[in-house]
Amino acid sequence: MPPPAPRSGPRPARLPTPLTGVVPPLCTPLTPDGRVDTRSLAALTTRLVGAGVSGLFVLGSSGEAAYLTDAQRRTVVETVIEAAGGRPVLAGAIDMTTARVVEHARTAWSLGADAIVATAPFYTRTHPAEIADHFTRVRDGADLPLFAYDIPMAVHTKLPLDTVLTLARDGVLAGLKDSSGEDGALRRLLVRVRAQVPDFSVLTGSELTVDGALLAGAHGVVPGLGNVDPHGYVRLYEHAAAGRWREAAAEQDRLAALFALTDAGDPAVMGRNSSALGAFKAALHLQGVIDCPATAPPQLPLDEAAVGTVRRCLEEAGLL
C-alpha cells in the first residue's frame, strides 16, 4: 500500500546532506489532564528555531514518544511542522515491530516531515540480519531519509558497526543518532564513515561530551538539555565549527554543570527517567516556555524540593 498523500501546502525544507549542527529532541508539553499542549509545544518550537538550531527532532525519548497514543503522536508532528517555519523536522517512528514503525513513518511522511528516526525492533531479540531488514522495510515504507537511533539502554540492542555502514553505503540510512554511551564505538564509526560514506550524518546524543564528539568528527548533537538552553548548544557547535576548541570546551563545561538539574529527583522515590524529563519540563515551566510541567504517567512528578533544585541550577547558569 502506498503512503497517504501529504497534506496541502508547502513541505518543510529538504534535509541537508549530511545533517549538521544542533537538533534538539523536543519535549512534549502536556496539559494537567494528559493532552498534548499544542500552544506550549508551538512556543517551544519557536524558541528553538529562534536560537538557531539546525533541525528539530520530535517523538524521541525526551518527547516521551513511548507514552503517547498514535493520535497524540500525530498531533505533535503536525504542531511542530506548522511552527517550524521550514526548519527540518525529524519525526520519531519508535515502536516494537517493523509493521508499527512503518505505520508511524507513513503518517509522518503524510504530514510533511523531512526525515524518520527509528530504533532497532525491541521486546524480542533480533539478529543483525533482522535489524538490517527492519531498517530496509522502514525506508521502503516511507520515502524519506531514515536515521537509525542507537539507544541500547532502551531497546537492549547495540547497533552493529558493520550493519550500520552497510545500510549507509546502500542508501538505506542517511544518518545515526548515537545514544549508546560508548565513546570508543562512536570513534570507530566516525573513522570508517569518513573513509566510506562521508555524506552519512553522525549525531551524538550525549549532552556532556559534545565537544569531544565534534572534535572526533561527529556532525552534530541531539541534546535533551537543548530544550532548556538551546543557545548554549548552538554556541558550542559554532565554536567547534570554527576551530575554537578552548571556547567550545568552556561552553561544554557550563552545560555539564547545568545538566545537574536532571539529578533533582529523589532516587529513593522515582526513576531516573522521571527525574530527568521532569527536570527538563520544570525548567521550561520556570522559564515561562510551557504552561505545565506534567510528565506522562506512570512517571512521577518532581516535588517542591526538586523543583527548587532545578530553579537553582537555572539561576546559576544565568537562565532565570
Side-chain angles (χ1 to χ4, degrees):
M1 176 184 294
R7 65 179 186 178
S8 59
R11 290 175 68 97
R14 294 184 63 181
L15 203 68
T17 305
L19 177 62
T20 62
V22 180
V23 185
L26 275 71
C27 291
T28 302
L30 301 173
T31 62
D33 61 355
R35 292 176 291 112
V36 175
D37 180 352
T38 55
R39 191 217 67 80
S40 292
L41 181 56
L44 175 58
T45 302
T46 300
R47 179 183 191 235
L48 298 176
V49 169
V53 303
S54 301
L56 303 158
F57 171 33
V58 298
L59 300 178
S61 301
S62 295
E64 298 174 272
Y67 300 90
L68 303 179
T69 67
D70 289 357
Q72 287 175 318
R73 291 188 186 201
R74 182 184 182 101
T75 297
V76 168
V77 176
E78 286 178 322
T79 301
V80 173
I81 287 176
E82 186 172 343
R87 203 61 54 101
V89 175
L90 290 70
I94 298 167
D95 218 315
M96 292 183 292
T97 65
T98 303
R100 287 193 54 76
V101 172
V102 170
E103 281 189 3
H104 294 308
R106 289 185 172 187
T107 297
W109 186 97
S110 74
L111 297 174
D114 288 279
I116 301 300
V117 183
T119 69
F122 51 96
Y123 185 74
T124 58
R125 296 184 180 183
T126 48
H127 185 275
E130 295 167 325
I131 292 171
D133 184 62
H134 166 76
F135 283 118
T136 300
R137 289 175 183 273
V138 174
R139 179 63 179 83
D140 290 344
D143 188 19
L144 286 173
L146 175 62
F147 283 67
Y149 188 175
D150 192 7
I151 183 167
M153 178 182 69
V155 305
H156 311 297
T157 298
K158 175 75 178 78
L159 294 180
L161 173 60
D162 288 339
T163 300
V164 171
L165 288 167
T166 298
L167 293 173
R169 287 193 300 267
D170 291 347
V172 174
L173 293 179
L176 173 83
K177 176 183 184 281
D178 179 72
S179 294
S180 68
E182 298 184 18
D183 292 340
L186 174 61
R187 186 62 176 262
R188 292 177 61 211
L189 171 66
L190 289 168
V191 169
R192 293 181 64 180
V193 163
R194 280 195 298 273
Q196 300 179 27
V197 276
D199 287 341
F200 185 75
S201 180
V202 180
L203 307 172
T204 177
S206 170
E207 289 96 338
L208 302 178
T209 60
V210 180
D211 56 343
L214 294 174
L215 182 60
H219 297 90
V221 56
V222 185
L225 188 62
N227 286 275
V228 178
D229 190 4
H231 292 90
Y233 280 99
V234 170
R235 286 193 298 268
L236 194 168
Y237 177 79
E238 290 177 345
H239 284 317
R244 298 187 295 266
W245 294 107
R246 181 174 299 177
E247 291 87 347
E251 192 67 55
Q252 179 69 90
D253 287 347
R254 190 188 67 80
L255 290 163
L258 176 61
F259 194 71
L261 60 80
T262 63
D263 297 323
D266 182 353
V269 299
M270 67 168 48
R272 174 68 184 167
N273 213 56
S274 294
S275 179
L277 289 178
F280 289 162
K281 287 189 167 182
L284 290 169
H285 184 239
L286 290 167
Q287 291 174 310
V289 180
I290 67 175
D291 293 336
C292 174
T295 51
Q299 297 173 110
L300 298 173
L302 298 186
D303 60 19
E304 186 176 343
V307 173
T309 298
V310 173
R311 179 185 291 276
R312 287 192 295 277
C313 289
L314 292 175
E315 290 172 344
E316 291 169 1
L319 297 176
L320 270 187

